[in-house]
Amino acid sequence: MAGEESTQQIPEALTEEQAEQILAGMNEVIRAGEEMRKLRAEMIKVFAGFGWTQERIAQLTDMSQPAVSKQMAKHRTDKLRTPMKVSLDQRDIPWLEGRLWGLAEEISETLDETAHCTRYVNGLTRGKKRFTPQNIDELRRLVEEDLRLRRAELTGGYQAAYDEISRGLDLPSKGTTTASASVRRSIAHQIQRDLLRG
């Protein structure tokens, strides 16, 4: 009888719940990888729009020149676009989200990863959190909390950037842009970080 009980406790197969838990993390990594590959392909188009050579783009993207050439050939039928505008004062939602993300990341690093927004920033950076209105509202709340509670450790530039981003998110522009939302977010994120490091 004791032998029977012990064999019955060993499952012969995984439950659906166990399988779902195992695959959930893998699916996140795979999805993030696919999104990053797509984003890199879109960024190659943006770099080409700036007039950069395939050789330079290959160096920047850590890809071979034939791979860059192949990516560019896929989009040769696309209309030639004017170079993307990169000034900070744009007011479309993806641009403002990218600026908020960049600001939050700078706050997190300045506060040695002890900021309230750190976990959220890490989730966005690793693709575990998406840029949804709810997630952006939560990130805004956490950034506001860091700016309020850690004011002595953060320069006035952080608060000024947040005020500008916040006003923009409350009353965004309805203008249309040719670049994808993820490209605009990524570029705004980097420009905001560079400006704060200024």
Side-chain angles (χ1 to χ4, degrees), residues 42-110:
E42 291 174 4
M43 292 301 290
I44 287 170
K45 286 195 295 186
V46 170
F47 298 153
F50 290 138
W52 297 349
T53 65
Q54 288 185 21
E55 183 180 4
R56 186 67 187 127
I57 294 170
Q59 290 170 345
L60 290 168
T61 56
D62 198 24
M63 293 171 69
S64 69
Q65 193 167 342
V68 170
S69 182
K70 184 177 174 184
Q71 283 290 335
M72 291 175 80
K74 277 185 189 175
H75 304 290
R76 263 195 225 295
T77 55
D78 290 357
K79 285 187 270 181
L80 283 175
R81 296 177 185 163
T82 54
M84 185 177 152
K85 185 179 168 191
V86 293
S87 66
L88 201 62
D89 64 348
Q90 298 175 73
R91 299 184 59 99
D92 58 289
I93 292 286
W95 189 263
L96 293 162
E97 289 172 345
R99 287 190 63 193
L100 179 66
W101 174 27
L103 171 63
E105 202 164 71
E106 280 298 309
I107 289 171
S108 176
E109 287 182 16
T110 300

Side-chain angles (χ1 to χ4, degrees), residues 24 27-39 93-94 97-98 100-101 119-140 181-182 185:
N27 289 340
E28 274 185 7
V29 171
I30 291 166
R31 187 190 72 227
E34 288 170 356
E35 287 174 358
M36 282 298 120
R37 278 190 292 280
K38 183 179 174 197
L39 177 57
I93 292 286
E97 289 172 345
L100 179 66
W101 174 27
R119 280 186 48 216
Y120 237 76
V121 167
N122 291 341
L124 288 170
T125 302
R126 293 187 179 111
K128 292 185 175 184
K129 289 206 177 290
R130 318 275 283 163
F131 285 91
T132 64
Q134 295 79 14
N135 285 344
I136 290 301
D137 284 346
E138 180 63 13
L139 183 58
R140 285 175 75 177
S182 34
R185 261 188 224 108

